[in-house]
Amino acid sequence: MTPHNNHDEEAKKDEQTSTANKDIESTEKLSPDIGITMPPALEEEINDFRSEAEKELVKLAEIYGPAGAKLSRVDAVTLMDGWNKVLAFQTMWKEAFFMRWRILLAREKVICSYNHNDTDENNDESNSKASHRFEKVVKLAEKMVDKNQDPIALCLGSRLSSGKDTMLALFDQTIRDLCPHTQTVQREAYRPTLEDGGAGLGFSLECNTVEEIFRMLSRCGLRPKHVGTALCEAFLWSLESHTPYALDDEKEDLEQRPDQGAFSRFVADKVARMAIKDMINIREDFATPMFTFHLPTFWRQVKAHPKMKNRFGEKFYTNLLTDYPELLDYFARADMDTLSSHIALAIDLMLLRYSEVVAEVDSVFRKTVDHLADMHRRLDIPTDAYPSIGLNAVKTLQPFFTEYVSSVENTQSPVTADELTQGLVASYMEVMWFVFHPMLKEEKLIAKAEAFIGQCAEELRWPQSQLSKRLCQVKLEINKTGTYSHTSDEIQVGARLAWRNSAKCIGRIAWNTLEVRDRTHVNSPSAMMNELIDHFMTATAGTNIQSVMTVFRALTPDESWGPRFWTEQGVRYAAYKDEQTGEILGDGANLEFTEFIVKKGYWTPPEPRTQHDILPCIFKMPGIDTPIVHEFDPKYLYEAQIEHPDYPDVAKLGHKWGTVPILNTMAMNLGGIQYTALPFNGWFCSIEIVRNLMERYSPEKFAMAMGIDTKSTRMWKNQVQYELDRAICHSFDKSGFTIVDLETVGEQFVTHCKREKANGRECPGQWSWIGGLAGPTNVTWHKEMRDFLVTPQYEYCAQQWKVVGYDEEPPIDFELKSRNTSSTTSLDTLSLAINSDEDEFDIKIPRVLIAYGSETGTAEAAAGRLGRSLRICRPIVCSLNDVAGMDVVTKKAITHVLVLCSTFGSGEAPSNATDFMKTDIPLRLLVGTKVAVLGLGSSMYPDFARAGINVANKLNQAGAVELIPLTKADEAVDSPAVISGWLELTKNLILPESLETQIEASLGFGNEPVEYKLKWSEATEAKEIVPRFSWPTGESICRVNEELIIGNDPTRSTRRIVFDVPPDSSYITGDHLSVQPLNSFDMIKRFAMVFEEELTNAAIAAGRDESDGTDKLVTWQLQQTFEVDCLDNGQVYPAQTCFSTPSTLADILQANVTLSLSSASVNDMVMLLKEHTSMMENNAKVADFVGSLEKLIGEGEKHNDGGSMESFLSLYPTLVDLLEAYKRSTKSVDERGVGSVPSIAYVLPILPRLQPRLYSISSSNVSSPRHVEITVGVVHATTDDGVVIKGVCSNYIAGLSPGTDGAHVSIHQSSFRAPRNLESPVILVGAGTGLAPMMGFVQDRAIALKKEGNTDLDGLECHLFFGCRSEEEAIYKQKLDEYERSDVLKLHLALSRSKVQPKMYVQDAVERCGEHLASLLIDEDCHYYVCGDARMGDECYEAFVNVLRKFCKMSRIQAVNHLKRMRVEERWQYDLWGVSTAMDESYAASKELTRKKRASRAMNWLNRMNSVNEEEIM
């Protein structure tokens, strides 16, 4: 309803302005006369706000009359009656109101943006031009709302999704307050929404009173212009347009002048004016001395206090985690030092930015709290922890209350400790009100999802393990995307349950036979229309109507409308109004819609027009300007001609009716996910058609055709109704279509209720729609019913075409300034800005690019696994270097880019991703392309997952759209579970079950699995012994290979190895040497013997003599060339492997594939063994063995825990170990007793590439430019299960013969560089082979000192901390002693297993020299280098933090920030690698220790804080 501005009543304006001023005055608060003035900026902001409020109140007075006009009792009853009708259709009405409110404000914003600072005063334009411009405004406003860029969306932020419910609750309670004596519910009525937080109406609220809702709107930054006339207009308009079956007196009230109608005066006085007053109040609440003076002054004093300076964060979190240990789990993986810095900034924000507590959308305050909110959500801090956090903040500050209270005691503004506490709590609540909500929203969605998935599990009879796994998937998807997707089974269960739970439906007895068609993957409008045709055909097959629902995609978190049908039913008849007589031809209920689509040119009626012209199906997709209009072929639209068995004249009336009641405008909420496009049909009950014909067509004509005298026959309409009911049933029966009469459907409903009772379920029912509909003679009349809400549930939708107002004329005061054609700010430009990322709807099969950056093979193996799961899409799988520049995206029309990238060294990308990082991607090349990035790494490194972060940023800058946010897999904690979860999530998002099924059907895919086969080439000569692989690009000769450790322990070996520098290469001290290893002959032989039967048979088939024996036949076959073919869906193509073919198996096994198992390849191998087992007969024992493998790795993923995976790898560290164990388990079911394994052809595609290893160079390029030296710790360890592990590369190069053998090596540039200035203090830390680069640095330093002839070395500081087990393992000790005697360095040796010295690690040695090191660290030119095991590097970092705290009197935050600054200035460098496997613990034990340590980061931090004597560092 558009307000009528009465410009003729000028005499009232002064009175109205006076009334508005009184409204303002009534909210004023006198500033206390205490000598403390309000800050000028705050005073100016409040005055500006009051001025805006005054203007809005004047407008309200002009339109709706003066404030305070009392509503009469008649008005109150009118409001309550009308509101009851709204509640009956509340889901439709609240959406209509809320979206209309947003639309109106978006229009205003468009007009203001267009007219802002315009100097062109030539505004004369014709009405047609004004209409054309207004139409553009309407479209732009719609796009703005679609993109959630309108004022309401920007203000509400994360609360936007609950905005409709909140506003419904506001109106509901305000209206109920007018009639408090009638709110005691006795039977069928809608409960007050605020009585139970909205639960009675299907939603939950965070506000419990009207006042809290007003305050919420104010907090979010809504201004008077938002809640004034625009809100009133939206309220009245939605009552008029979206309240079905309104009574005449209710319609008359809405048609009155705004200053006279009950509804209009109510909304202006009780809602709009009250909201504006509260907005003024909340701003002035924070303009008092407590917030403008005391709290800011108090906080500044606290920060400057000697005991608190730079230590508030430490104190805060120490108290918090000590007093509330239950919170430790939530901070388990958090960087507590960073959080400690942030909390002080948060208090700054809370107590110093008082003028912004009422947050404008673009204020620093709002942006900062939004960032804090996102950080807390990512940490999974539960909302019930916030009270504890608040109490802890007050507790941390309380020791300083007394001093501050005393300091202001004798001033004009004294304050008490209690008042300070109340002020702190109020400020905390205002900030946390923003911070907690995103997490609250996520918690609510997870709770809804858990409830719904639990219902599905019950209906589908899932085992507990399946339910647990599904809930983990859902929680992960919600955490990453803010929403989640349903499987086809879940959608089917949900749709059926929603029908079963529909309290208004009398005919739900067949709820469990509903056929649900999952079409959530269909995005193309044309494809959606084809699906609707299929729906018609399915529903009417054989004329026996089947209940069917077709479900299209759900509403996404960033959408306002989602996909919508405008046509309410599958078959609706047009209506035409005669301009002269006013008579209506056709279905009068569709008159407004018919006129709208004809006026807009969406549809042209047929000629001649009839009373049964079928309206087209009209559909609107987000991002597409115009709706999709489709006229169905009549052959799909079955109609029944209406005739009567006894009155032939009824047939002459020519009436007919569609036989399938397809409802298009219902929504469905499944576990918090909203579906807005789901055509659904059951079958008609005859009374529904009777009611429609009686209401929309002339009942008098029906009476005449039946011979009923309308003048003399009493209750003639009842008689017509009865006969018309007979006619409908007769007509449908004659046509052969299903229909049910009122008596039958009543009996069915009672039967349904009995069935529900037998299953322990109470049946909800709304009597007015069931007993009231059926009448007093029906069995349902006397059935008592309870109308309660059960989810899932169907909901009414608002009519989008009405809400947006496509056909509206410009308002009287519409003015849009004309512009010069050269202007850069036009409506077209605004349109481009708002709609710059329209979606592509016509892509059916996803075109996927999977790119990896992998140094150790984990990322590459996971990429291969993902490629196999998406095989139906035929994805491209390659390294990032292969797609540098991303030209492939346009060439191959890629729709999805999935990247898995590990991090190497100091945050660098792996070698097969460096070209990608160096190559620019054209701006906007990836617009519309969906991307997902998995960053692999270890949190033990300072630059955890840095390469993945850089890749994600690079793709985003090119315009890519995030499929899911960047995910980090932490090798030190939970990498296997995170990788598996990410792979599964991305696969499901790209290829949901419904799309995969449709693609398989369209491509003719059967149920046959993919087959792999080895295609052997023609036989060639072979040597008696498999030759060592020789690199075609050449090898560098090994010149020196000597043992450095003294002793005879074969498991302890560290070797000095020297190679020739590769041709055309050079290195710099600190670089790495990349060595490409070869798998050992022993491992290759074991692998070959696992497949001896397959290889032997192939050799015999190639003509070899069986009498040669197994060893010779296998050796010969290993040297034969082959290819791997993949047979998929009847097509043969080369299998995707990490090696090129044709090649020999011997070469591939030596140089191309890794035979070690990793968390990335285990799942695929176990799945392969499971599939192979399923094809075996009598396989129970083998299945048990495979089941034990699944259980072992499954438990780790279930608990998001890497522990079980480590146990698996402890048992089976290599593929050969696993295959040998599997083969042994199959011997009992193999008739020949030799065991069975899958074919090599199935194993090879799974195997990851054998990656080169990087070693720190330990020589100096100055003294040895043509030879490069490395220090290699030869890995020889035993797992907890007694399995021996030999490092592939270290054992390979340890076995090279100097002077004859060579290896494939290359120089890998590093950022690890010594300082150029010899006078710079240097601290070197290395443990074990971590000494390697330090030796090069020391050599360079010795040469430089000698070259300069510097004899006075007293002022030069170079400290080397070297750690090893014992004196025998002190490698290079003789050289180091020489350097120390020459004053090149000061050596600090730490021995952890010495027989003569106390146990000491390098971090202990650092702390022992702490005082001197502290003096060096604060030198602006000091450089620190650490190399070795990452766990050791972590401990040394903590040692240096403690040194700075103890000897430089720094807080922990200051110490951490000092070291961070050294890193930024490249004075703190590290060269770290994963946990050592041959040092102090066994392989599995060391990995487990590290994992637990990183997972309990908060506890470790707390222990460190408590271990330091505070008095010592003050």
Side-chain angles (χ1 to χ4, degrees), residues 929-976:
T929 305
K930 295 181 179 179
V931 303
V933 177
L934 176 66
L936 292 84
S938 171
S939 59
M940 298 175 67
Y941 297 89
D943 288 296
F944 169 46
R946 172 54 54 189
I949 295 170
N950 292 339
V951 170
N953 291 338
K954 192 177 181 73
L955 297 175
N956 291 338
Q957 289 167 6
V961 179
E962 281 188 340
L963 179 68
I964 55 175
L966 170 70
T967 301
K968 300 176 186 178
D970 188 353
E971 194 270 340
V973 182
D974 56 4
S975 181

Side-chain angles (χ1 to χ4, degrees), residues 70-359:
K70 188 175 181 181
L71 292 168
S72 68
R73 290 186 178 181
V74 174
D75 291 334
V77 174
T78 300
L79 286 163
M80 199 69 242
D81 282 350
W83 188 247
N84 282 335
K85 194 64 61 67
V86 167
L87 292 178
F89 298 92
Q90 60 181 272
T91 57
M92 175 175 66
W93 184 89
K94 70 184 180 185
E95 182 179 45
F97 159 75
F98 193 69
M99 297 304 294
R100 182 66 175 185
W101 186 28
R102 292 176 62 187
I103 287 288
L104 293 177
L105 291 171
R107 289 182 188 176
E108 182 180 332
K109 183 176 180 179
V110 170
I111 294 171
C112 290
S113 299
Y114 187 77
N115 287 339
H116 184 60
N117 293 330
D118 199 321
T119 58
D120 187 356
E121 299 299 332
N122 181 21
N123 296 321
D124 295 333
E125 58 181 24
S126 65
N127 290 336
S128 62
K129 284 186 176 180
S131 296
H132 177 68
R133 292 192 174 195
F134 184 71
E135 185 176 349
K136 282 192 172 183
V137 169
V138 170
K139 288 184 177 180
L140 284 172
E142 179 194 10
K143 292 178 182 178
M144 192 177 287
V145 171
D146 275 347
K147 300 290 182 181
N148 288 331
Q149 296 173 4
D150 59 285
I152 297 297
L154 295 175
C155 287
L156 293 184
S158 63
R159 288 175 167 81
L160 181 66
S161 58
S162 59
K164 296 189 289 287
D165 298 327
T166 301
M167 295 308 293
L168 178 70
L170 170 63
F171 291 123
D172 180 70
Q173 191 59 49
T174 311
I175 290 177
R176 290 178 188 274
D177 287 344
L178 300 174
C179 305
H181 58 287
T182 64
Q183 301 309 312
T184 302
V185 177
Q186 188 162 313
R187 190 186 178 193
E188 182 180 308
Y190 293 96
R191 298 176 63 186
T193 53
L194 290 180
E195 180 178 296
D196 53 4
L201 295 181
F203 52 84
S204 57
L205 299 169
E206 59 177 301
C207 303
N208 296 315
T209 66
V210 169
E211 291 72 21
E212 288 182 7
I213 294 176
F214 284 146
R215 194 170 184 85
M216 183 271 284
L217 297 177
S218 300
R219 280 168 163 162
C220 287
L222 269 70
R223 300 183 69 87
K225 63 182 178 182
H226 299 143
V227 297
T229 54
L231 181 143
C232 295
E233 182 177 345
F235 176 79
L236 297 171
W237 178 90
S238 54
L239 287 175
E240 194 172 35
S241 62
H242 282 74
T243 308
Y245 310 112
L247 300 178
D248 290 342
D249 60 333
E250 295 161 2
K251 294 178 182 178
E252 290 170 3
D253 183 85
L254 291 170
E255 292 170 358
Q256 290 190 59
R257 282 182 8 176
D259 59 347
Q260 295 180 358
F263 283 102
S264 54
R265 287 182 290 125
F266 156 77
V267 70
D269 208 46
K270 301 297 183 182
V271 180
R273 288 189 176 101
M274 294 300 295
I276 292 171
K277 290 178 183 180
D278 193 80
M279 288 178 176
I280 297 171
N281 287 338
I282 192 173
R283 278 163 172 78
E284 295 193 345
D285 282 346
F286 287 92
T288 60
M290 174 59 71
F291 300 100
T292 63
F293 175 76
H294 287 303
L295 291 179
T297 306
F298 167 70
W299 174 238
R300 291 188 183 100
Q301 288 187 11
V302 170
K303 291 203 299 180
H305 196 284
K307 289 187 177 181
M308 191 60 74
K309 190 173 183 179
N310 297 307
R311 291 187 173 89
F312 176 79
E314 298 171 15
K315 293 274 189 182
F316 174 85
Y317 279 110
T318 301
N319 289 341
L320 179 69
L321 299 179
T322 301
D323 293 347
Y324 303 98
E326 65 273 14
L327 296 180
L328 279 166
D329 288 344
Y330 297 107
F331 292 92
R333 302 178 193 179
D335 183 343
M336 298 305 300
D337 294 321
T338 301
L339 288 180
S340 297
S341 297
H342 283 173
I343 190 64
L345 296 176
I347 302 295
D348 277 347
L349 183 76
M350 187 172 84
L351 300 182
L352 302 183
R353 305 295 301 231
Y354 47 84
S355 63
E356 293 184 4
V357 168
V358 180

Side-chain angles (χ1 to χ4, degrees), residues 792-810:
Q793 190 62 250
Y794 296 135
E795 300 174 352
Y796 294 106
C797 286
Q799 294 170 299
Q800 183 186 15
W801 63 274
K802 274 188 181 182
V803 176
V804 175
Y806 294 101
D807 62 334
E808 293 178 8
E809 295 296 330

Side-chain angles (χ1 to χ4, degrees), residues 109-115 136-137 140 143-144 149 816 819 824-836:
K109 183 176 180 179
V110 170
I111 294 171
C112 290
S113 299
Y114 187 77
N115 287 339
K136 282 192 172 183
V137 169
L140 284 172
K143 292 178 182 178
M144 192 177 287
Q149 296 173 4
L816 196 65
R819 290 183 176 272
T824 58
T825 308
S826 66
L827 286 175
D828 293 332
T829 306
L830 287 173
S831 176
L832 181 63
I834 295 172
N835 199 37
S836 59

Side-chain angles (χ1 to χ4, degrees), residues 518-561:
D518 178 5
R519 297 297 182 268
T520 51
H521 61 276
V522 178
N523 284 323
S524 164
S526 58
M528 294 177 80
M529 289 302 171
N530 289 335
E531 292 294 344
L532 200 56
I533 292 174
D534 289 345
H535 181 118
F536 271 107
M537 296 175 67
T538 304
T540 56
T543 70
N544 185 20
I545 294 176
Q546 165 69 38
S547 53
V548 180
M549 174 179 286
T550 300
V551 182
F552 295 110
R553 73 166 178 84
L555 194 71
T556 62
D558 58 347
E559 286 181 339
S560 296
W561 287 109

Side-chain angles (χ1 to χ4, degrees), residues 129 348 570 573 722 973-974 1168 1262 1284 1437:
K129 284 186 176 180
D348 277 347
Y573 299 116
Y722 169 74
V973 182
D974 56 4
L1168 175 60
V1262 178
V1284 175
Y1437 172 83

